[in-house]
Amino acid sequence: MSDDVAVLGVGMHPWGKWGRRFTEYGVVAARAALADAGIDWRAVQSVVGAETVRGGYPGYVAGASIAQALGWQGARVTSVYAACASGAQAIGTARAQILAGLADVVLVVGADAAPKGFFAPAGGDRPDDPDWLRFRVLGATNPAYFGLYARRRIAVHGDTPEDFAQVKVKNAAAGSLNPNARYRARVSAEDVARSPVVADPLRLLDICATSDGAAALVLSGLDFAHSHGVSEPVRIRAVSTVTPRYPRTELDLPDIATDSAAAAAPPGLGLRPSIAAAAYEEAGTGPEDLDVAEVYDLSTALELQWYEDLGLCPAGDGAKLLREGATSLGGRIPVNPSGGLASFGEAVPAQAIAQVCELTWQLRGRAGDRQVAGASCGISVNQGLFGHGSAVIAVR
Amino acid sequence: MARERVPVVAGWFGGEGEEFRLTGTRCRSCEAVFFPREDAFCRNPECGGRELDEVPLARRGRVWSYTDGRYRPPAPYVCDPEREWQPYTLVAVELAAERMVVLGQAAPGVGVADLAVGMEVELVPGVLNEDEEHLWMTWHWRPVTEGAL
Ligand SMILES: [Zn+2]
């Protein structure tokens, strides 16, 4: 396929919470990816940084700050922000540059130093910002939305808090095998049930933490990869960065209400399934072709939702798929073999890139104890608030 | 001196007692309804209308989902850091005619144990927070009492 790009190198800084500058993490990840690729930083023609915005100022101006920290060498620079989907947009930007012939080798980096506690909007009196409004008017934190989705699943699909806990148990077991994960202890369903309720029906161990961390990729065209001596690189075959279609009838962060479906019929697919559908269409694949998936488990219940939105099972059968063990390591379609957000915590601009690092290790057969046997096609998927779709399909 | 009652967001709700309603807008061209209100343009991609009129939303709806906040949310949510945190309940309510879901806090005293998906709730005025000069007003959802009209 001529529209593939090669993943020459991947690298991460382990996830944790140290409060250091985000560039420190980013440089470690970038150097690891460059070393993995066998590419000298000075030969990189473009750097794309996935950024985060805190305190009302895009202070972590990602691409340039990372380039400066690695040592200015004149590369073309891009910084992108799309909340949790920032990393996918950075990958999409790098791919477009490569396919357009603007660059042979592109470094993609996402790094974050997360604040303590709930994510909060920028300060000041800003009633024109939906993110500010949901906190001011409702006190609706991110976990509040996760709680709403989880309760809805219980009511509509018959999921139970025990099902949700089993997602954590599964992901913690995988994460215990991942040296880059922040949380490496195994967790039992009893541990989850003993943790305090944060947003009914979800408990602390159902909800992902916020973390420091960084991930990086070195991407190139296939011709460059071949001339660089890599005959069978992991290839990125699709990058989905779709937006919702009007009227949007699923309540999403940071909105206080959905669109009205009274005057216009809702689209056939909501945002989450449409993210996957666009990726499948671009790659010429479907859920039946997948060997492995990395999904955005902001909460345990949300992971079950992704099973259905990816088409791994019919709507409402997410918990059944989990109970069957299909999504565990060794199952039919392991989901989050990295350990997922449950084991990492969220480092917003790095997370979608970290998902692709994991896919790459899996497709190379270098994922160690958490290897999915014979993996040749994988998908990563997530969603950034305000309506940012994000998915990557990688093959080998 | 009585404290001034001020809506936490101007133009999002109005009316007294039984007449209290959320205020949306409706596009003159395609009749799409918006809440929070859109005043400058219609967001229907088939339309492109620029003229929208205020419209009150339904007073009653059914619970789509609900949750609560067991921990103090960050600013700009206003609460007294000296006082022990009192969890509040959030309700997402489906309005039948508008075919939309609107979030709101539940009326004081309504907890998650008092709610169920599909239950009928109604809109009532409520106080979000107060300071020395103001009562900051908002909307609350409250279960419809059985038998009440
Ligand atoms: Zn219109």
Side-chain angles (χ1 to χ4, degrees):
Chain A
M1 293 270 262
S2 58
D3 286 349
D4 289 357
V5 297
V7 183
L8 282 188
V10 296
M12 286 171 65
H13 183 291
W15 264 228
K17 199 98 164 187
W18 304 279
R20 297 203 294 270
R21 286 186 309 161
F22 84 109
T23 45
E24 280 192 47
Y25 310 132
V27 165
V28 168
R31 287 188 174 153
L34 289 163
D36 185 42
I39 295 284
D40 188 299
W41 156 238
R42 289 164 295 183
V44 169
Q45 293 152 338
S46 168
V47 55
V48 185
E51 72 179 71
T52 190
V53 177
R54 296 264 156 65
Y57 170 65
Y60 307 101
V61 179
S65 299
I66 298 282
Q68 181 192 37
L70 288 165
W72 292 123
Q73 46 84 310
R76 177 194 296 268
V77 66
T78 311
S79 295
V80 299
Y81 178 66
C84 300
S86 299
Q89 296 215 345
I91 294 166
T93 301
R95 180 179 73 146
Q97 291 179 352
I98 291 165
L99 294 179
L102 297 174
D104 293 325
V105 183
V106 183
L107 174 67
V108 177
V109 190
D112 201 10
K116 267 195 161 65
F118 291 120
F119 282 141
D125 192 29
R126 300 181 304 103
D128 59 346
D129 173 4
D131 199 38
W132 186 89
L133 280 169
R134 57 140 168 167
F135 281 94
R136 172 66 185 104
V137 178
L138 300 171
T141 60
N142 292 3
Y145 287 81
F146 309 154
L148 290 169
Y149 305 147
R151 172 60 60 188
R152 181 76 185 168
R153 285 195 64 87
I154 289 173
V156 174
H157 298 312
D159 292 4
T160 66
E162 169 73 13
D163 293 326
F164 301 155
Q166 289 300 337
V167 174
K168 176 72 173 188
V169 172
K170 172 185 77 72
N171 287 347
S176 74
L177 307 173
N178 191 341
N180 285 312
R182 175 178 174 190
Y183 302 103
R184 301 202 51 199
R186 284 177 167 266
V187 172
S188 69
E190 294 72 37
D191 293 332
V192 180
R194 273 196 299 267
S195 68
V197 174
V198 173
D200 178 272
L202 297 178
R203 295 174 179 275
L204 189 62
L205 293 184
D206 284 304
I207 295 168
C208 87
T210 63
S211 293
D212 300 355
L217 307 172
V218 177
L219 303 181
S220 78
L222 290 182
D223 289 346
F224 182 94
H226 294 152
S227 67
H228 188 64
V230 185
S231 57
E232 285 185 63
V234 169
R235 285 161 290 159
I236 289 177
R237 183 152 286 178
V239 182
S240 167
T241 54
V242 296
T243 48
R245 291 177 186 275
Y246 177 88
R248 191 173 185 198
T249 56
E250 300 146 324
L251 189 67
D252 187 22
L253 293 77
D255 295 332
I256 284 174
T258 66
D259 289 337
S260 163
L269 291 180
L271 174 62
R272 276 190 307 269
S274 78
I275 296 169
Y280 290 141
E281 186 183 350
E282 191 172 290
T285 59
E288 64 284 357
D289 300 312
L290 298 175
D291 302 305
V292 58
E294 284 281 309
V295 309
Y296 223 59
D297 57 321
L298 290 164
S299 80
T300 50
L302 207 51
E303 175 165 321
L304 301 180
Q305 186 70 46
W306 279 120
Y307 297 172
E308 300 163 19
D309 295 334
L310 285 179
L312 305 182
C313 63
D317 281 1
K320 180 165 168 273
L321 193 71
L322 174 83
R323 288 185 214 122
E324 290 167 359
T327 58
S328 301
L329 280 172
R332 174 169 67 78
I333 169 69
V335 176
N336 285 334
S338 68
L341 292 172
S343 302
F344 277 74
E346 190 183 19
V348 175
Q351 212 68 45
I353 300 169
Q355 289 181 316
V356 175
C357 289
E358 178 67 13
L359 290 184
T360 301
W361 283 315
Q362 292 289 349
L363 298 182
R364 285 175 176 175
R366 303 271 177 79
D369 292 339
R370 59 183 200 286
Q371 180 65 45
V372 176
S376 66
C377 179
I379 193 169
S380 66
V381 66
N382 83 29
Q383 174 185 354
L385 85 173
F386 282 95
H388 291 98
S390 156
V392 172
I393 290 179
V395 298
R396 186 161 185 237
Chain B
M1 203 176 82
R3 286 179 290 185
E4 189 187 356
R5 292 154 67 96
V6 186
V8 63
V9 186
W12 277 21
F13 47 83
E16 297 294 320
E18 301 279 292
E19 299 303 312
F20 183 73
R21 297 282 192 285
L22 293 171
T23 307
T25 54
R26 183 164 54 207
C27 173
R28 279 187 203 172
S29 304
C30 74
E31 302 197 321
V33 174
F34 298 100
F35 181 84
R37 57 190 298 153
E38 291 288 359
D39 289 287
F41 47 81
C42 172
R43 289 196 283 102
N44 179 353
E46 311 278 328
C47 177
R50 300 291 305 262
E51 291 183 301
L52 298 101
D53 302 307
E54 270 193 9
V55 60
L57 303 189
R59 180 164 167 246
R60 288 188 175 181
R62 293 197 177 273
V63 173
W64 182 84
S65 191
Y66 54 94
T67 185
D68 59 6
R70 302 288 177 99
Y71 293 86
R72 197 186 296 276
Y77 194 72
V78 179
C79 59
D80 183 352
E82 303 294 313
R83 283 170 61 178
E84 193 187 341
W85 172 244
Q86 294 296 324
Y88 60 84
T89 304
L90 277 176
V91 195
V93 176
E94 200 161 14
L95 307 179
E98 291 84 357
R99 294 190 63 191
M100 67 194 302
V101 173
V102 180
L103 268 177
Q105 289 191 352
V110 176
V112 290
D114 304 313
L115 295 167
V117 169
M119 175 185 274
E120 191 171 29
V121 291
E122 64 185 0
L123 192 78
V124 291
V127 176
L128 180 63
N129 66 286
E130 42 197 276
D131 55 37
E132 293 191 352
E133 287 137 33
H134 311 95
L135 292 175
W136 292 94
M137 304 303 294
T138 189
W139 71 94
H140 285 152
W141 295 108
R142 182 178 71 187
V144 173
T145 320
E146 209 124 0
L149 281 176

